[in-house]
Amino acid sequence: MTIEVIDESGLDVDVQHLARLSRFVMDRMRVHPLAELCIKAVDEDTIAQLNEQWMEKEGPTDVLAFPMDELRPGLVDEEPEEGVLGDIMLCPAVAVRQGETAGHGTLAEIELLTTHGILHLLGYDHAEPEEHRVMFALQDEILGEWRTP
């Protein structure tokens, strides 16, 4: 897998940690071993501009996902499709506030947002109650596995 993590946030983001987590999530979701992913950590102004441009929403958000080749999770009995998974833009400054509010800190919030973004790239959504239940249960399961030694 090619996983590129770029930190343009102005904060100290552990890019190696995010790359390891991303590989774990992609492996867990049976993404093709040659798939490509780019994660860019950006500041609040940049994420606010992207949020307005692409989502037609004002202000900074925590994470945006831009799928490329519409890859889907691999199935146990078939070879996963090769291609470019897409790009994730995340805002560590927003993650700091959300992590404090949630009581689990910044690193846990950035891990959650990274996992959440990858699931969006794989076609998961949370607009409807059932979609929300499925996506958030899977996100919790993956993060639980990641955090278990």
Side-chain angles (χ1 to χ4, degrees):
M1 286 178 198
T2 302
I3 300 169
E4 182 178 20
V5 183
I6 303 165
D7 181 16
E8 296 178 354
S9 69
L11 301 176
D12 188 23
V13 174
D14 185 344
V15 296
Q16 295 302 321
H17 183 80
L18 286 186
R20 285 190 305 274
L21 170 63
S22 299
R23 182 172 307 282
F24 178 84
V25 174
M26 292 168 69
D27 284 344
R28 171 67 168 69
M29 297 304 297
R30 299 185 48 81
V31 174
H32 195 281
L34 297 178
E36 298 176 29
L37 168 68
C38 179
I39 299 172
K40 187 181 281 190
V42 297
D43 61 28
E44 288 185 89
D45 289 339
T46 302
I47 201 97
Q49 290 171 356
L50 292 167
N51 198 25
E52 186 173 338
Q53 178 182 355
W54 295 102
M55 304 305 289
E56 299 179 355
K57 296 180 180 178
E58 286 190 31
T61 189
D62 49 10
V63 64
L64 294 169
F66 300 96
M68 298 298 232
D69 290 340
E70 297 185 10
L71 300 180
R72 296 296 177 252
L75 301 174
V76 174
D77 57 346
E78 63 184 53
E79 184 69 24
E81 190 176 340
E82 187 178 340
V84 178
L85 188 55
D87 297 334
I88 296 171
M89 303 291 174
L90 66 90
C91 185
V94 173
V96 168
R97 292 193 299 275
Q98 290 180 175
E100 288 174 6
T101 300
H104 57 225
T106 302
L107 180 59
E109 186 68 15
I110 289 174
E111 289 176 342
L112 184 147
L113 296 175
T114 301
T115 303
H116 189 86
I118 293 171
L119 291 178
H120 271 307
L121 294 178
L122 288 168
Y124 288 87
D125 202 356
H126 48 85
E128 300 297 325
E130 180 60 16
E131 292 174 331
H132 185 279
R133 186 192 67 71
V134 168
M135 182 175 181
F136 280 72
L138 181 56
Q139 178 178 286
D140 290 347
E141 181 180 319
I142 292 170
L143 286 169
E145 291 173 10
W146 167 254
R147 294 173 180 151
T148 300

